[in-house]
PDB file of all heavy atoms in Angstrom:
ATOM      1  N   HIS A  23      95.535 132.192  61.648  1.00  0.00           N
ATOM      2  CA  HIS A  23      95.353 131.966  60.206  1.00  0.00           C
ATOM      3  C   HIS A  23      95.336 130.475  59.961  1.00  0.00           C
ATOM      4  O   HIS A  23      96.195 129.720  60.321  1.00  0.00           O
ATOM      5  CB  HIS A  23      96.517 132.565  59.428  1.00  0.00           C
ATOM      6  CG  HIS A  23      96.258 132.645  57.969  1.00  0.00           C
ATOM      7  ND1 HIS A  23      97.100 133.266  57.107  1.00  0.00           N
ATOM      8  CD2 HIS A  23      95.277 132.097  57.183  1.00  0.00           C
ATOM      9  CE1 HIS A  23      96.618 133.165  55.917  1.00  0.00           C
ATOM     10  NE2 HIS A  23      95.522 132.409  55.911  1.00  0.00           N
ATOM     11  N   PHE A  24      94.136 129.984  59.477  1.00  0.00           N
ATOM     12  CA  PHE A  24      93.976 128.582  59.082  1.00  0.00           C
ATOM     13  C   PHE A  24      94.078 128.531  57.559  1.00  0.00           C
ATOM     14  O   PHE A  24      93.264 129.117  56.816  1.00  0.00           O
ATOM     15  CB  PHE A  24      92.652 128.009  59.527  1.00  0.00           C
ATOM     16  CG  PHE A  24      92.410 128.038  60.961  1.00  0.00           C
ATOM     17  CD1 PHE A  24      91.625 128.943  61.581  1.00  0.00           C
ATOM     18  CD2 PHE A  24      93.110 127.127  61.817  1.00  0.00           C
ATOM     19  CE1 PHE A  24      91.380 128.965  63.004  1.00  0.00           C
ATOM     20  CE2 PHE A  24      92.940 127.129  63.181  1.00  0.00           C
ATOM     21  CZ  PHE A  24      92.079 127.978  63.786  1.00  0.00           C
ATOM     22  N   HIS A  25      95.079 127.753  57.065  1.00  0.00           N
ATOM     23  CA  HIS A  25      95.375 127.753  55.615  1.00  0.00           C
ATOM     24  C   HIS A  25      94.481 126.807  54.879  1.00  0.00           C
ATOM     25  O   HIS A  25      94.038 125.705  55.386  1.00  0.00           O
ATOM     26  CB  HIS A  25      96.839 127.400  55.412  1.00  0.00           C
ATOM     27  CG  HIS A  25      97.785 128.416  55.965  1.00  0.00           C
ATOM     28  ND1 HIS A  25      98.097 129.515  55.236  1.00  0.00           N
ATOM     29  CD2 HIS A  25      98.425 128.533  57.148  1.00  0.00           C
ATOM     30  CE1 HIS A  25      98.948 130.299  56.001  1.00  0.00           C
ATOM     31  NE2 HIS A  25      99.145 129.689  57.106  1.00  0.00           N
ATOM     32  N   SER A  26      94.271 127.253  53.577  1.00  0.00           N
ATOM     33  CA  SER A  26      93.507 126.429  52.674  1.00  0.00           C
ATOM     34  C   SER A  26      94.193 125.051  52.402  1.00  0.00           C
ATOM     35  O   SER A  26      95.385 124.966  52.337  1.00  0.00           O
ATOM     36  CB  SER A  26      93.427 127.218  51.389  1.00  0.00           C
ATOM     37  OG  SER A  26      92.888 126.445  50.393  1.00  0.00           O
ATOM     38  N   ASN A  27      93.326 124.035  52.209  1.00  0.00           N
ATOM     39  CA  ASN A  27      93.740 122.682  52.008  1.00  0.00           C
ATOM     40  C   ASN A  27      94.703 122.112  53.024  1.00  0.00           C
ATOM     41  O   ASN A  27      95.576 121.325  52.799  1.00  0.00           O
ATOM     42  CB  ASN A  27      94.381 122.502  50.598  1.00  0.00           C
ATOM     43  CG  ASN A  27      94.422 121.097  50.170  1.00  0.00           C
ATOM     44  OD1 ASN A  27      95.386 120.635  49.492  1.00  0.00           O
ATOM     45  ND2 ASN A  27      93.514 120.267  50.571  1.00  0.00           N
ATOM     46  N   GLN A  28      94.580 122.587  54.253  1.00  0.00           N
ATOM     47  CA  GLN A  28      95.315 122.068  55.429  1.00  0.00           C
ATOM     48  C   GLN A  28      94.287 121.487  56.402  1.00  0.00           C
ATOM     49  O   GLN A  28      93.144 121.933  56.410  1.00  0.00           O
ATOM     50  CB  GLN A  28      96.091 123.118  56.130  1.00  0.00           C
ATOM     51  CG  GLN A  28      97.424 123.500  55.333  1.00  0.00           C
ATOM     52  CD  GLN A  28      98.454 124.103  56.305  1.00  0.00           C
ATOM     53  OE1 GLN A  28      98.183 124.518  57.414  1.00  0.00           O
ATOM     54  NE2 GLN A  28      99.677 124.094  55.829  1.00  0.00           N
ATOM     55  N   LEU A  29      94.774 120.548  57.218  1.00  0.00           N
ATOM     56  CA  LEU A  29      93.943 120.064  58.308  1.00  0.00           C
ATOM     57  C   LEU A  29      94.513 120.696  59.535  1.00  0.00           C
ATOM     58  O   LEU A  29      95.651 120.473  59.892  1.00  0.00           O
ATOM     59  CB  LEU A  29      93.970 118.582  58.401  1.00  0.00           C
ATOM     60  CG  LEU A  29      92.959 117.875  59.354  1.00  0.00           C
ATOM     61  CD1 LEU A  29      92.602 116.465  58.788  1.00  0.00           C
ATOM     62  CD2 LEU A  29      93.468 117.833  60.733  1.00  0.00           C
ATOM     63  N   SER A  30      93.684 121.531  60.200  1.00  0.00           N
ATOM     64  CA  SER A  30      94.121 122.230  61.458  1.00  0.00           C
ATOM     65  C   SER A  30      93.331 121.674  62.604  1.00  0.00           C
ATOM     66  O   SER A  30      92.177 121.606  62.559  1.00  0.00           O
ATOM     67  CB  SER A  30      93.883 123.723  61.301  1.00  0.00           C
ATOM     68  OG  SER A  30      94.557 124.271  60.184  1.00  0.00           O
ATOM     69  N   ALA A  31      94.112 121.306  63.634  1.00  0.00           N
ATOM     70  CA  ALA A  31      93.467 120.784  64.825  1.00  0.00           C
ATOM     71  C   ALA A  31      93.429 121.873  65.920  1.00  0.00           C
ATOM     72  O   ALA A  31      94.410 122.628  66.090  1.00  0.00           O
ATOM     73  CB  ALA A  31      94.244 119.664  65.387  1.00  0.00           C
ATOM     74  N   ILE A  32      92.270 121.982  66.599  1.00  0.00           N
ATOM     75  CA  ILE A  32      92.075 122.959  67.729  1.00  0.00           C
ATOM     76  C   ILE A  32      92.137 122.162  68.957  1.00  0.00           C
ATOM     77  O   ILE A  32      91.205 121.293  69.179  1.00  0.00           O
ATOM     78  CB  ILE A  32      90.831 123.818  67.509  1.00  0.00           C
ATOM     79  CG1 ILE A  32      90.924 124.547  66.182  1.00  0.00           C
ATOM     80  CG2 ILE A  32      90.631 124.738  68.612  1.00  0.00           C
ATOM     81  CD1 ILE A  32      89.632 125.244  65.769  1.00  0.00           C
ATOM     82  N   LEU A  33      93.039 122.406  69.780  1.00  0.00           N
ATOM     83  CA  LEU A  33      93.200 121.550  71.053  1.00  0.00           C
ATOM     84  C   LEU A  33      93.174 122.496  72.286  1.00  0.00           C
ATOM     85  O   LEU A  33      93.474 123.682  72.248  1.00  0.00           O
ATOM     86  CB  LEU A  33      94.520 120.894  71.066  1.00  0.00           C
ATOM     87  CG  LEU A  33      94.956 120.037  69.849  1.00  0.00           C
ATOM     88  CD1 LEU A  33      96.279 119.342  70.115  1.00  0.00           C
ATOM     89  CD2 LEU A  33      93.842 118.998  69.561  1.00  0.00           C
ATOM     90  N   GLY A  34      92.733 121.921  73.353  1.00  0.00           N
ATOM     91  CA  GLY A  34      92.634 122.637  74.650  1.00  0.00           C
ATOM     92  C   GLY A  34      91.787 121.836  75.686  1.00  0.00           C
ATOM     93  O   GLY A  34      91.048 120.946  75.271  1.00  0.00           O
ATOM     94  N   ALA A  35      91.998 122.231  76.900  1.00  0.00           N
ATOM     95  CA  ALA A  35      91.300 121.543  77.990  1.00  0.00           C
ATOM     96  C   ALA A  35      89.817 121.814  77.904  1.00  0.00           C
ATOM     97  O   ALA A  35      89.376 122.755  77.141  1.00  0.00           O
ATOM     98  CB  ALA A  35      91.819 122.025  79.298  1.00  0.00           C
ATOM     99  N   ASN A  36      89.019 121.139  78.682  1.00  0.00           N
ATOM    100  CA  ASN A  36      87.566 121.377  78.698  1.00  0.00           C
ATOM    101  C   ASN A  36      87.316 122.799  79.120  1.00  0.00           C
ATOM    102  O   ASN A  36      88.007 123.409  80.037  1.00  0.00           O
ATOM    103  CB  ASN A  36      86.925 120.518  79.794  1.00  0.00           C
ATOM    104  CG  ASN A  36      86.927 119.037  79.480  1.00  0.00           C
ATOM    105  OD1 ASN A  36      87.234 118.203  80.269  1.00  0.00           O
ATOM    106  ND2 ASN A  36      86.571 118.718  78.229  1.00  0.00           N
ATOM    107  N   GLY A  37      86.482 123.459  78.331  1.00  0.00           N
ATOM    108  CA  GLY A  37      86.137 124.871  78.678  1.00  0.00           C
ATOM    109  C   GLY A  37      87.151 125.842  78.111  1.00  0.00           C
ATOM    110  O   GLY A  37      87.041 127.074  78.371  1.00  0.00           O
ATOM    111  N   ALA A  38      88.099 125.417  77.329  1.00  0.00           N
ATOM    112  CA  ALA A  38      89.189 126.381  76.809  1.00  0.00           C
ATOM    113  C   ALA A  38      88.586 127.374  75.737  1.00  0.00           C
ATOM    114  O   ALA A  38      89.203 128.376  75.496  1.00  0.00           O
ATOM    115  CB  ALA A  38      90.281 125.577  76.140  1.00  0.00           C
ATOM    116  N   GLY A  39      87.489 126.966  75.107  1.00  0.00           N
ATOM    117  CA  GLY A  39      86.888 127.883  74.110  1.00  0.00           C
ATOM    118  C   GLY A  39      86.858 127.321  72.733  1.00  0.00           C
ATOM    119  O   GLY A  39      86.564 128.044  71.758  1.00  0.00           O
ATOM    120  N   LYS A  40      87.142 126.041  72.555  1.00  0.00           N
ATOM    121  CA  LYS A  40      87.253 125.429  71.251  1.00  0.00           C
ATOM    122  C   LYS A  40      85.919 125.493  70.493  1.00  0.00           C
ATOM    123  O   LYS A  40      85.896 125.880  69.291  1.00  0.00           O
ATOM    124  CB  LYS A  40      87.708 123.915  71.355  1.00  0.00           C
ATOM    125  CG  LYS A  40      89.037 123.788  72.127  1.00  0.00           C
ATOM    126  CD  LYS A  40      89.443 122.361  72.357  1.00  0.00           C
ATOM    127  CE  LYS A  40      88.498 121.454  73.179  1.00  0.00           C
ATOM    128  NZ  LYS A  40      88.347 121.909  74.579  1.00  0.00           N
ATOM    129  N   SER A  41      84.832 125.045  71.122  1.00  0.00           N
ATOM    130  CA  SER A  41      83.582 124.979  70.438  1.00  0.00           C
ATOM    131  C   SER A  41      83.077 126.405  70.136  1.00  0.00           C
ATOM    132  O   SER A  41      82.466 126.625  69.162  1.00  0.00           O
ATOM    133  CB  SER A  41      82.483 124.327  71.301  1.00  0.00           C
ATOM    134  OG  SER A  41      82.872 123.013  71.612  1.00  0.00           O
ATOM    135  N   THR A  42      83.412 127.366  71.091  1.00  0.00           N
ATOM    136  CA  THR A  42      83.046 128.717  70.897  1.00  0.00           C
ATOM    137  C   THR A  42      83.718 129.254  69.612  1.00  0.00           C
ATOM    138  O   THR A  42      83.073 129.897  68.763  1.00  0.00           O
ATOM    139  CB  THR A  42      83.413 129.569  72.117  1.00  0.00           C
ATOM    140  OG1 THR A  42      82.777 128.970  73.238  1.00  0.00           O
ATOM    141  CG2 THR A  42      82.984 130.998  71.996  1.00  0.00           C
ATOM    142  N   LEU A  43      84.999 128.908  69.459  1.00  0.00           N
ATOM    143  CA  LEU A  43      85.710 129.358  68.310  1.00  0.00           C
ATOM    144  C   LEU A  43      85.151 128.792  66.995  1.00  0.00           C
ATOM    145  O   LEU A  43      84.877 129.575  66.004  1.00  0.00           O
ATOM    146  CB  LEU A  43      87.181 129.026  68.419  1.00  0.00           C
ATOM    147  CG  LEU A  43      88.046 129.404  67.253  1.00  0.00           C
ATOM    148  CD1 LEU A  43      88.019 130.977  66.968  1.00  0.00           C
ATOM    149  CD2 LEU A  43      89.518 128.928  67.367  1.00  0.00           C
ATOM    150  N   LEU A  44      84.742 127.526  67.001  1.00  0.00           N
ATOM    151  CA  LEU A  44      84.178 126.931  65.794  1.00  0.00           C
ATOM    152  C   LEU A  44      82.823 127.637  65.494  1.00  0.00           C
ATOM    153  O   LEU A  44      82.516 127.873  64.293  1.00  0.00           O
ATOM    154  CB  LEU A  44      83.904 125.392  65.958  1.00  0.00           C
ATOM    155  CG  LEU A  44      85.013 124.481  65.777  1.00  0.00           C
ATOM    156  CD1 LEU A  44      84.494 123.080  65.566  1.00  0.00           C
ATOM    157  CD2 LEU A  44      85.968 124.816  64.611  1.00  0.00           C
ATOM    158  N   LYS A  45      82.063 127.931  66.538  1.00  0.00           N
ATOM    159  CA  LYS A  45      80.768 128.557  66.299  1.00  0.00           C
ATOM    160  C   LYS A  45      80.968 129.994  65.667  1.00  0.00           C
ATOM    161  O   LYS A  45      80.215 130.420  64.726  1.00  0.00           O
ATOM    162  CB  LYS A  45      79.979 128.731  67.597  1.00  0.00           C
ATOM    163  CG  LYS A  45      79.321 127.520  68.061  1.00  0.00           C
ATOM    164  CD  LYS A  45      78.517 127.688  69.379  1.00  0.00           C
ATOM    165  CE  LYS A  45      78.433 126.429  70.140  1.00  0.00           C
ATOM    166  NZ  LYS A  45      78.231 126.659  71.534  1.00  0.00           N
ATOM    167  N   VAL A  46      81.996 130.672  66.123  1.00  0.00           N
ATOM    168  CA  VAL A  46      82.277 131.993  65.495  1.00  0.00           C
ATOM    169  C   VAL A  46      82.784 131.855  64.079  1.00  0.00           C
ATOM    170  O   VAL A  46      82.348 132.556  63.201  1.00  0.00           O
ATOM    171  CB  VAL A  46      83.352 132.764  66.311  1.00  0.00           C
ATOM    172  CG1 VAL A  46      83.771 134.037  65.667  1.00  0.00           C
ATOM    173  CG2 VAL A  46      82.776 133.022  67.709  1.00  0.00           C
ATOM    174  N   LEU A  47      83.602 130.853  63.844  1.00  0.00           N
ATOM    175  CA  LEU A  47      84.127 130.702  62.437  1.00  0.00           C
ATOM    176  C   LEU A  47      83.044 130.246  61.482  1.00  0.00           C
ATOM    177  O   LEU A  47      83.088 130.625  60.354  1.00  0.00           O
ATOM    178  CB  LEU A  47      85.271 129.616  62.451  1.00  0.00           C
ATOM    179  CG  LEU A  47      86.561 129.999  63.215  1.00  0.00           C
ATOM    180  CD1 LEU A  47      87.500 128.876  63.278  1.00  0.00           C
ATOM    181  CD2 LEU A  47      87.193 131.198  62.557  1.00  0.00           C
ATOM    182  N   SER A  48      82.052 129.548  62.018  1.00  0.00           N
ATOM    183  CA  SER A  48      80.976 129.125  61.154  1.00  0.00           C
ATOM    184  C   SER A  48      79.981 130.277  60.875  1.00  0.00           C
ATOM    185  O   SER A  48      79.121 130.151  59.974  1.00  0.00           O
ATOM    186  CB  SER A  48      80.216 127.953  61.757  1.00  0.00           C
ATOM    187  OG  SER A  48      79.380 128.407  62.790  1.00  0.00           O
ATOM    188  N   GLY A  49      80.062 131.327  61.672  1.00  0.00           N
ATOM    189  CA  GLY A  49      79.116 132.463  61.558  1.00  0.00           C
ATOM    190  C   GLY A  49      77.885 132.306  62.329  1.00  0.00           C
ATOM    191  O   GLY A  49      76.969 133.140  62.335  1.00  0.00           O
ATOM    192  N   ASP A  50      77.829 131.190  63.195  1.00  0.00           N
ATOM    193  CA  ASP A  50      76.664 130.998  64.074  1.00  0.00           C
ATOM    194  C   ASP A  50      76.641 131.882  65.296  1.00  0.00           C
ATOM    195  O   ASP A  50      75.647 132.065  65.928  1.00  0.00           O
ATOM    196  CB  ASP A  50      76.532 129.515  64.523  1.00  0.00           C
ATOM    197  CG  ASP A  50      76.226 128.539  63.314  1.00  0.00           C
ATOM    198  OD1 ASP A  50      75.764 129.113  62.318  1.00  0.00           O
ATOM    199  OD2 ASP A  50      76.449 127.378  63.429  1.00  0.00           O
TER     200      ASP A  50
END
Side-chain angles (χ1 to χ4, degrees):
H23 190 169
F24 297 108
H25 293 276
S26 171
N27 196 216
Q28 283 202 344
L29 191 152
S30 301
I32 300 171
L33 307 182
N36 291 135
K40 304 176 298 294
S41 300
T42 304
L43 179 59
L44 278 198
K45 283 182 207 157
V46 174
L47 294 175
S48 74
D50 290 343

